Coordinates of all heavy atoms in Angstrom, one line a residue:
P182 N 9.2 8.6 -2.9 CA 8.6 9.9 -2.6 C 9.6 11.0 -2.2 O 9.5 12.1 -2.7 CB 7.6 9.6 -1.5 CG 7.3 8.2 -1.7 CD 8.5 7.5 -2.2
V183 N 10.6 10.6 -1.4 CA 11.6 11.6 -1.0 C 12.5 12.0 -2.1 O 12.8 13.2 -2.3 CB 12.4 11.0 0.2 CG1 13.5 12.0 0.5 CG2 11.6 10.8 1.4
I184 N 12.9 11.0 -2.9 CA 13.7 11.3 -4.1 C 13.1 12.2 -5.1 O 13.6 13.2 -5.6 CB 14.2 10.0 -4.8 CG1 14.9 9.1 -3.8 CG2 15.0 10.3 -6.0 CD1 16.2 9.6 -3.3
Q185 N 11.8 12.0 -5.3 CA 11.0 12.8 -6.3 C 11.0 14.3 -5.8 O 11.3 15.2 -6.6 CB 9.6 12.3 -6.5 CG 8.8 13.3 -7.3 CD 7.3 12.9 -7.4 OE1 7.0 11.9 -8.0 NE2 6.4 13.6 -6.8
E186 N 10.7 14.5 -4.6 CA 10.5 15.9 -4.1 C 11.9 16.6 -4.1 O 12.0 17.8 -4.3 CB 9.9 15.9 -2.7 CG 8.5 15.4 -2.7 CD 7.6 16.1 -3.7 OE1 7.6 17.4 -3.6 OE2 6.9 15.4 -4.5
L187 N 13.0 15.9 -3.8 CA 14.3 16.5 -3.8 C 14.6 16.9 -5.3 O 15.2 18.0 -5.5 CB 15.3 15.5 -3.3 CG 15.3 15.3 -1.8 CD1 16.3 14.2 -1.4 CD2 15.6 16.5 -1.0
I188 N 14.3 16.0 -6.2 CA 14.6 16.3 -7.6 C 13.8 17.5 -8.1 O 14.3 18.4 -8.8 CB 14.3 15.1 -8.5 CG1 15.3 13.9 -8.2 CG2 14.5 15.4 -10.0 CD1 16.7 14.2 -8.4
K189 N 12.5 17.6 -7.7 CA 11.7 18.6 -8.2 C 12.1 20.0 -7.6 O 12.0 21.0 -8.3 CB 10.2 18.4 -7.7 CG 9.5 17.3 -8.5 CD 8.2 16.9 -7.8 CE 7.2 18.0 -7.6 NZ 6.0 17.5 -7.0
K190 N 12.8 20.0 -6.5 CA 13.2 21.3 -5.9 C 14.6 21.7 -6.4 O 15.1 22.8 -6.0 CB 13.2 21.2 -4.4 CG 11.8 21.0 -3.8 CD 11.8 20.9 -2.3 CE 10.4 20.7 -1.7 NZ 9.4 21.7 -2.1
S191 N 15.2 20.9 -7.2 CA 16.6 21.2 -7.7 C 16.5 21.9 -9.0 O 15.5 21.7 -9.7 CB 17.4 19.9 -7.7 OG 16.9 19.0 -8.7
S192 N 17.5 22.6 -9.4 CA 17.6 23.3 -10.7 C 17.9 22.2 -11.7 O 18.4 21.1 -11.4 CB 18.6 24.4 -10.7 OG 19.9 23.8 -10.5
K193 N 17.7 22.6 -13.0 CA 18.0 21.7 -14.1 C 19.5 21.4 -14.1 O 19.9 20.3 -14.4 CB 17.5 22.2 -15.4 CG 17.7 21.2 -16.5 CD 17.0 21.6 -17.8 CE 17.1 20.5 -18.8 NZ 16.4 20.8 -20.1
K194 N 20.3 22.4 -13.9 CA 21.8 22.2 -13.9 C 22.2 21.2 -12.8 O 23.0 20.3 -13.1 CB 22.5 23.5 -13.7 CG 24.0 23.4 -13.6 CD 24.6 24.8 -13.4 CE 26.1 24.7 -13.4 NZ 26.8 26.0 -13.1
C195 N 21.5 21.3 -11.7 CA 21.8 20.3 -10.6 C 21.4 18.9 -11.0 O 22.1 18.0 -10.7 CB 21.1 20.8 -9.3 SG 21.3 19.7 -7.9
R196 N 20.3 18.8 -11.7 CA 19.8 17.5 -12.1 C 20.8 16.8 -13.1 O 21.1 15.6 -13.0 CB 18.4 17.6 -12.7 CG 17.4 18.1 -11.8 CD 16.1 18.3 -12.5 NE 15.2 19.2 -11.6 CZ 13.9 19.3 -11.9 NH1 13.3 18.7 -12.9 NH2 13.2 20.1 -11.1
V197 N 21.3 17.6 -14.0 CA 22.3 17.1 -15.0 C 23.5 16.7 -14.3 O 24.1 15.6 -14.6 CB 22.6 18.2 -16.1 CG1 23.7 17.7 -17.0 CG2 21.3 18.5 -16.9
L198 N 24.0 17.5 -13.4 CA 25.2 17.1 -12.6 C 25.0 15.8 -11.8 O 25.9 15.0 -11.7 CB 25.6 18.3 -11.7 CG 26.2 19.5 -12.4 CD1 26.4 20.6 -11.4 CD2 27.4 19.2 -13.2
L199 N 23.8 15.7 -11.2 CA 23.5 14.5 -10.5 C 23.4 13.3 -11.4 O 23.9 12.2 -11.0 CB 22.1 14.7 -9.8 CG 22.0 15.5 -8.5 CD1 20.6 15.7 -8.1 CD2 22.8 14.8 -7.4
M200 N 22.9 13.4 -12.6 CA 22.8 12.3 -13.5 C 24.2 11.9 -13.9 O 24.5 10.7 -13.9 CB 22.1 12.7 -14.8 CG 21.9 11.6 -15.8 SD 21.1 12.1 -17.3 CE 22.3 13.2 -18.0
I201 N 25.1 12.8 -14.2 CA 26.5 12.5 -14.6 C 27.2 11.9 -13.4 O 27.9 10.9 -13.5 CB 27.2 13.7 -15.1 CG1 26.6 14.2 -16.4 CG2 28.7 13.4 -15.3 CD1 27.1 15.6 -16.8
G202 N 27.1 12.5 -12.2 CA 27.8 12.1 -11.0 C 27.4 10.7 -10.6 O 28.2 9.8 -10.3
L203 N 26.1 10.4 -10.6 CA 25.6 9.1 -10.2 C 26.0 8.0 -11.2 O 26.4 6.9 -10.8 CB 24.1 9.1 -10.0 CG 23.5 7.8 -9.4 CD1 24.1 7.4 -8.1 CD2 21.9 8.0 -9.2
S204 N 26.0 8.3 -12.5 CA 26.5 7.4 -13.5 C 27.9 7.0 -13.3 O 28.3 5.8 -13.4 CB 26.3 8.0 -14.9 OG 25.0 8.2 -15.2
L205 N 28.8 8.0 -13.0 CA 30.2 7.8 -12.7 C 30.4 7.0 -11.4 O 31.3 6.2 -11.3 CB 30.9 9.1 -12.7 CG 31.0 9.8 -14.1 CD1 31.7 11.2 -13.9 CD2 31.6 9.0 -15.1
L206 N 29.6 7.3 -10.4 CA 29.7 6.6 -9.2 C 29.4 5.1 -9.3 O 30.1 4.2 -8.8 CB 28.8 7.2 -8.1 CG 28.8 6.6 -6.7 CD1 30.2 6.7 -6.1 CD2 27.7 7.3 -5.8
L207 N 28.3 4.8 -10.1 CA 28.0 3.4 -10.3 C 29.1 2.7 -11.1 O 29.4 1.5 -10.9 CB 26.6 3.3 -11.1 CG 25.4 3.7 -10.2 CD1 24.2 4.0 -11.1 CD2 25.1 2.7 -9.2
L208 N 29.7 3.5 -12.0 CA 30.8 2.9 -12.8 C 32.0 2.6 -11.9 O 32.6 1.6 -12.0 CB 31.2 3.9 -13.9 CG 32.3 3.5 -14.9 CD1 32.0 4.3 -16.2 CD2 33.7 3.9 -14.4
Y209 N 32.2 3.5 -10.9 CA 33.3 3.3 -10.0 C 33.2 2.1 -9.1 O 34.1 1.4 -8.8 CB 33.4 4.6 -9.1 CG 34.2 4.4 -7.8 CD1 35.6 4.3 -7.8 CD2 33.5 4.3 -6.6 CE1 36.3 4.1 -6.6 CE2 34.2 4.1 -5.4 CZ 35.6 4.1 -5.4 OH 36.3 3.9 -4.3
F210 N 31.9 1.7 -8.8 CA 31.7 0.5 -8.0 C 32.3 -0.7 -8.6 O 32.6 -1.7 -7.9 CB 30.2 0.3 -7.8 CG 29.6 1.3 -6.9 CD1 28.2 1.5 -6.8 CD2 30.4 2.1 -6.1 CE1 27.6 2.4 -5.9 CE2 29.8 3.0 -5.2 CZ 28.4 3.2 -5.1
S211 N 32.3 -0.8 -10.0 CA 32.9 -1.9 -10.7 C 34.4 -2.1 -10.3 O 34.9 -3.2 -10.1 CB 32.8 -1.8 -12.2 OG 31.4 -1.7 -12.6
F212 N 35.1 -1.0 -10.1 CA 36.5 -1.0 -9.7 C 36.6 -1.6 -8.3 O 37.5 -2.4 -8.0 CB 37.1 0.4 -9.8 CG 37.4 0.8 -11.2 CD1 36.6 1.8 -11.8 CD2 38.5 0.3 -11.9 CE1 36.9 2.2 -13.1 CE2 38.8 0.7 -13.2 CZ 38.0 1.7 -13.8
V213 N 35.7 -1.1 -7.4 CA 35.8 -1.5 -6.0 C 35.6 -3.0 -5.9 O 36.4 -3.7 -5.2 CB 34.7 -0.8 -5.2 CG1 34.7 -1.3 -3.7 CG2 35.0 0.7 -5.2
V214 N 34.6 -3.6 -6.6 CA 34.4 -5.0 -6.6 C 35.6 -5.8 -7.1 O 36.0 -6.8 -6.5 CB 33.1 -5.3 -7.5 CG1 33.0 -6.8 -7.7 CG2 31.9 -4.8 -6.8
R215 N 36.2 -5.2 -8.2 CA 37.4 -5.9 -8.7 C 38.6 -5.8 -7.9 O 39.4 -6.8 -7.7 CB 37.6 -5.4 -10.1 CG 38.8 -6.1 -10.8 CD 38.6 -6.0 -12.3 NE 39.6 -6.9 -13.0 CZ 39.5 -7.3 -14.2 NH1 38.4 -7.0 -14.9 NH2 40.4 -8.0 -14.8
W216 N 38.9 -4.6 -7.4 CA 40.1 -4.4 -6.6 C 40.1 -5.3 -5.4 O 41.2 -5.8 -5.0 CB 40.1 -2.9 -6.1 CG 40.5 -1.9 -7.2 CD1 41.2 -2.2 -8.3 CD2 40.1 -0.6 -7.2 NE1 41.3 -1.1 -9.1 CE2 40.7 0.0 -8.4 CE3 39.4 0.3 -6.4 CZ2 40.5 1.3 -8.8 CZ3 39.3 1.6 -6.7 CH2 39.8 2.1 -7.9
F217 N 39.0 -5.5 -4.7 CA 39.0 -6.2 -3.5 C 38.3 -7.6 -3.6 O 38.0 -8.2 -2.6 CB 38.3 -5.4 -2.4 CG 39.0 -4.1 -2.1 CD1 38.6 -2.9 -2.7 CD2 40.1 -4.1 -1.2 CE1 39.2 -1.7 -2.4 CE2 40.7 -2.9 -0.9 CZ 40.3 -1.7 -1.5
S218 N 38.1 -8.0 -4.8 CA 37.5 -9.4 -5.1 C 36.2 -9.6 -4.3 O 36.0 -10.6 -3.6 CB 38.5 -10.5 -4.8 OG 39.7 -10.3 -5.5
L219 N 35.3 -8.6 -4.4 CA 34.1 -8.7 -3.6 C 33.0 -9.4 -4.4 O 33.2 -9.8 -5.6 CB 33.6 -7.2 -3.3 CG 34.5 -6.3 -2.6 CD1 33.9 -4.9 -2.4 CD2 34.9 -6.9 -1.2
S220 N 31.9 -9.7 -3.7 CA 30.8 -10.4 -4.3 C 30.1 -9.5 -5.4 O 30.2 -8.2 -5.3 CB 29.7 -10.8 -3.3 OG 30.3 -11.6 -2.3
S221 N 29.5 -10.1 -6.3 CA 28.8 -9.3 -7.4 C 27.7 -8.4 -6.8 O 27.1 -8.7 -5.8 CB 28.2 -10.3 -8.4 OG 27.4 -9.6 -9.3
L222 N 27.5 -7.3 -7.5 CA 26.5 -6.4 -7.1 C 25.1 -6.7 -7.8 O 24.2 -5.9 -7.7 CB 26.9 -4.9 -7.4 CG 28.1 -4.4 -6.6 CD1 28.5 -3.0 -7.2 CD2 27.8 -4.3 -5.1
Y223 N 25.1 -7.8 -8.5 CA 23.9 -8.1 -9.3 C 22.6 -8.0 -8.6 O 21.6 -7.4 -9.1 CB 24.1 -9.5 -9.9 CG 23.0 -9.8 -10.9 CD1 23.1 -9.3 -12.2 CD2 22.0 -10.7 -10.6 CE1 22.2 -9.6 -13.2 CE2 21.0 -11.0 -11.6 CZ 21.1 -10.5 -12.9 OH 20.2 -10.8 -13.8
S224 N 22.5 -8.5 -7.3 CA 21.3 -8.5 -6.6 C 21.4 -7.6 -5.3 O 20.6 -7.7 -4.4 CB 20.9 -9.9 -6.2 OG 21.9 -10.5 -5.3
N225 N 22.3 -6.7 -5.3 CA 22.5 -5.8 -4.2 C 21.4 -4.7 -4.2 O 21.3 -3.9 -5.2 CB 23.9 -5.1 -4.3 CG 24.2 -4.3 -3.1 OD1 23.5 -3.3 -2.8 ND2 25.2 -4.7 -2.3
P226 N 20.6 -4.7 -3.2 CA 19.4 -3.7 -3.2 C 19.8 -2.3 -3.2 O 19.1 -1.4 -3.8 CB 18.6 -4.1 -1.9 CG 19.6 -4.7 -1.0 CD 20.6 -5.5 -1.9
I227 N 21.0 -1.9 -2.5 CA 21.4 -0.5 -2.5 C 21.9 -0.1 -3.9 O 21.5 1.0 -4.4 CB 22.5 -0.3 -1.5 CG1 22.1 -0.8 -0.1 CG2 23.0 1.1 -1.5 CD1 20.9 0.0 0.4
F228 N 22.6 -1.0 -4.6 CA 23.1 -0.7 -5.9 C 22.0 -0.6 -6.9 O 21.9 0.4 -7.7 CB 24.0 -1.9 -6.3 CG 24.6 -1.7 -7.7 CD1 25.6 -0.9 -8.0 CD2 24.1 -2.5 -8.8 CE1 26.2 -0.8 -9.3 CE2 24.6 -2.4 -10.1 CZ 25.6 -1.5 -10.3
R229 N 21.0 -1.5 -6.8 CA 19.8 -1.4 -7.7 C 19.0 -0.2 -7.4 O 18.4 0.4 -8.3 CB 19.0 -2.7 -7.6 CG 19.7 -3.9 -8.1 CD 20.2 -3.8 -9.5 NE 20.7 -5.1 -10.1 CZ 21.2 -5.2 -11.3 NH1 21.2 -4.2 -12.1 NH2 21.6 -6.4 -11.7
S230 N 18.9 0.2 -6.2 CA 18.1 1.4 -5.8 C 18.7 2.6 -6.4 O 18.1 3.6 -6.8 CB 17.9 1.5 -4.3 OG 17.2 0.5 -3.8
M231 N 20.1 2.7 -6.4 CA 20.8 3.8 -7.0 C 20.5 3.8 -8.5 O 20.4 4.9 -9.1 CB 22.3 3.7 -6.7 CG 22.6 3.8 -5.3 SD 24.4 3.6 -4.9 CE 25.1 5.1 -5.6
E232 N 20.4 2.7 -9.2 CA 20.0 2.7 -10.6 C 18.6 3.2 -10.8 O 18.3 3.9 -11.7 CB 20.2 1.2 -11.1 CG 21.6 0.7 -11.2 CD 21.7 -0.7 -11.8 OE1 20.7 -1.4 -11.6 OE2 22.7 -1.0 -12.3
F233 N 17.7 2.8 -9.9 CA 16.4 3.3 -9.9 C 16.4 4.8 -9.8 O 15.7 5.5 -10.5 CB 15.6 2.7 -8.7 CG 14.2 3.1 -8.6 CD1 13.1 2.5 -9.2 CD2 13.9 4.2 -7.7 CE1 11.8 2.9 -9.1 CE2 12.6 4.6 -7.6 CZ 11.5 4.0 -8.2
C234 N 17.1 5.4 -8.8 CA 17.2 6.8 -8.6 C 17.8 7.5 -9.8 O 17.4 8.6 -10.2 CB 18.1 7.1 -7.4 SG 17.3 6.6 -5.8
L235 N 18.7 6.8 -10.5 CA 19.3 7.4 -11.8 C 18.2 7.6 -12.8 O 18.2 8.6 -13.5 CB 20.4 6.5 -12.3 CG 21.1 7.0 -13.6 CD1 21.7 8.4 -13.4 CD2 22.2 6.0 -14.0
G236 N 17.3 6.7 -12.9 CA 16.1 6.8 -13.8 C 15.2 8.0 -13.4 O 14.7 8.7 -14.3
V237 N 15.0 8.2 -12.1 CA 14.2 9.3 -11.6 C 14.9 10.6 -12.0 O 14.2 11.5 -12.5 CB 14.1 9.2 -10.1 CG1 13.2 10.4 -9.6 CG2 13.4 7.9 -9.6
I238 N 16.2 10.7 -11.9 CA 16.9 11.9 -12.2 C 16.8 12.2 -13.7 O 16.6 13.3 -14.1 CB 18.4 11.8 -11.8 CG1 18.5 11.7 -10.2 CG2 19.2 13.0 -12.3 CD1 19.9 11.3 -9.7
I239 N 16.9 11.1 -14.5 CA 16.8 11.3 -16.0 C 15.4 11.9 -16.3 O 15.3 12.7 -17.2 CB 17.0 10.0 -16.7 CG1 18.5 9.5 -16.6 CG2 16.6 10.1 -18.2 CD1 18.8 8.1 -17.1
G240 N 14.4 11.4 -15.6 CA 13.0 11.9 -15.8 C 13.0 13.4 -15.4 O 12.3 14.2 -16.1
G241 N 13.8 13.8 -14.4 CA 13.9 15.2 -14.0 C 14.6 16.1 -15.0 O 14.3 17.2 -15.3
V242 N 15.7 15.5 -15.6 CA 16.5 16.2 -16.6 C 15.7 16.4 -17.9 O 15.8 17.5 -18.5 CB 17.8 15.4 -17.0 CG1 18.5 16.0 -18.2 CG2 18.7 15.3 -15.8
F243 N 14.8 15.5 -18.3 CA 14.0 15.6 -19.5 C 13.1 16.8 -19.3 O 12.2 16.8 -18.4 CB 13.2 14.3 -19.7 CG 12.3 14.4 -20.8 CD1 12.7 14.8 -22.1 CD2 10.9 14.1 -20.6 CE1 11.8 14.8 -23.2 CE2 10.0 14.2 -21.7 CZ 10.4 14.5 -22.9
D244 N 13.1 17.7 -20.2 CA 12.3 18.9 -20.2 C 11.1 18.8 -21.1 O 11.2 18.9 -22.3 CB 13.2 20.2 -20.6 CG 12.4 21.5 -20.3 OD1 11.2 21.4 -20.1 OD2 13.1 22.5 -20.4
A245 N 10.0 18.5 -20.5 CA 8.8 18.2 -21.3 C 8.2 19.5 -22.0 O 7.5 19.4 -22.9 CB 7.7 17.6 -20.4
D246 N 8.6 20.6 -21.4 CA 8.0 21.9 -22.0 C 8.6 22.1 -23.4 O 7.9 22.7 -24.2 CB 8.4 23.0 -21.1 CG 7.8 24.3 -21.5 OD1 6.5 24.3 -21.7 OD2 8.4 25.4 -21.6
S247 N 9.8 21.5 -23.7 CA 10.3 21.7 -25.0 C 10.1 20.4 -25.8 O 10.7 20.2 -26.9 CB 11.9 21.9 -24.9 OG 12.5 20.8 -24.3
N248 N 9.1 19.6 -25.4 CA 8.8 18.4 -26.1 C 7.7 18.5 -27.1 O 7.0 17.6 -27.5 CB 8.4 17.3 -25.1 CG 8.4 15.9 -25.7 OD1 9.3 15.5 -26.4 ND2 7.3 15.2 -25.5
R249 N 7.5 19.8 -27.6 CA 6.6 20.0 -28.7 C 7.1 19.2 -29.9 O 8.2 19.1 -30.2 CB 6.5 21.5 -29.0 CG 6.1 22.3 -27.8 CD 5.9 23.7 -28.3 NE 5.5 24.6 -27.1 CZ 6.4 25.2 -26.4 NH1 7.7 25.2 -26.7 NH2 6.0 26.0 -25.3
S250 N 6.1 18.6 -30.6 CA 6.5 17.8 -31.8 C 7.2 18.6 -32.8 O 6.7 19.5 -33.5 CB 5.2 17.2 -32.4 OG 5.5 16.3 -33.4
S251 N 8.5 18.4 -32.9 CA 9.4 19.1 -33.8 C 10.2 18.1 -34.6 O 10.8 17.2 -34.1 CB 10.3 20.0 -33.0 OG 11.4 20.4 -33.7
R252 N 10.2 18.3 -35.9 CA 10.9 17.4 -36.8 C 12.4 17.4 -36.5 O 13.0 16.4 -36.4 CB 10.6 17.8 -38.2 CG 11.3 16.8 -39.2 CD 11.0 17.2 -40.7 NE 11.6 16.2 -41.6 CZ 11.6 16.4 -42.9 NH1 10.9 17.4 -43.4 NH2 12.2 15.5 -43.7
K253 N 12.9 18.6 -36.3 CA 14.3 18.8 -36.0 C 14.7 18.1 -34.6 O 15.7 17.4 -34.6 CB 14.7 20.3 -35.9 CG 16.2 20.5 -35.6 CD 16.4 22.0 -35.5 CE 17.9 22.2 -35.2 NZ 18.2 23.7 -35.1
R254 N 13.8 18.2 -33.6 CA 14.1 17.6 -32.3 C 14.0 16.1 -32.5 O 14.8 15.4 -31.9 CB 13.0 18.1 -31.3 CG 13.2 17.6 -29.9 CD 12.1 18.1 -29.0 NE 12.2 17.6 -27.7 CZ 12.9 18.0 -26.7 NH1 13.7 19.1 -26.9 NH2 12.9 17.5 -25.5
N255 N 13.0 15.6 -33.2 CA 12.9 14.2 -33.4 C 14.1 13.6 -34.1 O 14.6 12.5 -33.7 CB 11.6 13.9 -34.2 CG 10.7 13.0 -33.5 OD1 10.7 12.9 -32.3 ND2 9.9 12.3 -34.3

Side-chain angles (χ1 to χ4, degrees):
V183 175
I184 301 299
Q185 172 185 290
E186 294 308 307
L187 289 174
I188 295 299
K189 284 167 61 176
K190 293 182 184 301
S191 63
S192 66
K193 185 167 184 181
K194 180 179 179 181
C195 180
R196 299 177 195 192
V197 172
L198 291 175
L199 281 172
M200 182 183 72
I201 296 172
L203 187 53
S204 296
L205 295 177
L206 181 62
L207 290 167
L208 184 151
Y209 162 74
F210 288 165
S211 299
F212 284 106
V213 176
V214 170
R215 182 153 189 161
W216 286 336
F217 297 97
S218 301
L219 304 179
S220 301
S221 169
L222 296 173
Y223 188 77
S224 61
N225 186 294
I227 303 300
F228 179 76
R229 294 303 188 179
S230 294
M231 292 176 71
E232 292 181 332
F233 177 90
C234 290
L235 180 57
V237 179
I238 296 170
I239 292 172
V242 170
F243 173 57
D244 189 347
D246 188 47
S247 61
N248 193 49
R249 301 184 183 95
S250 185
S251 159
R252 183 178 180 184
K253 180 180 179 181
R254 183 181 175 87
N255 237 26

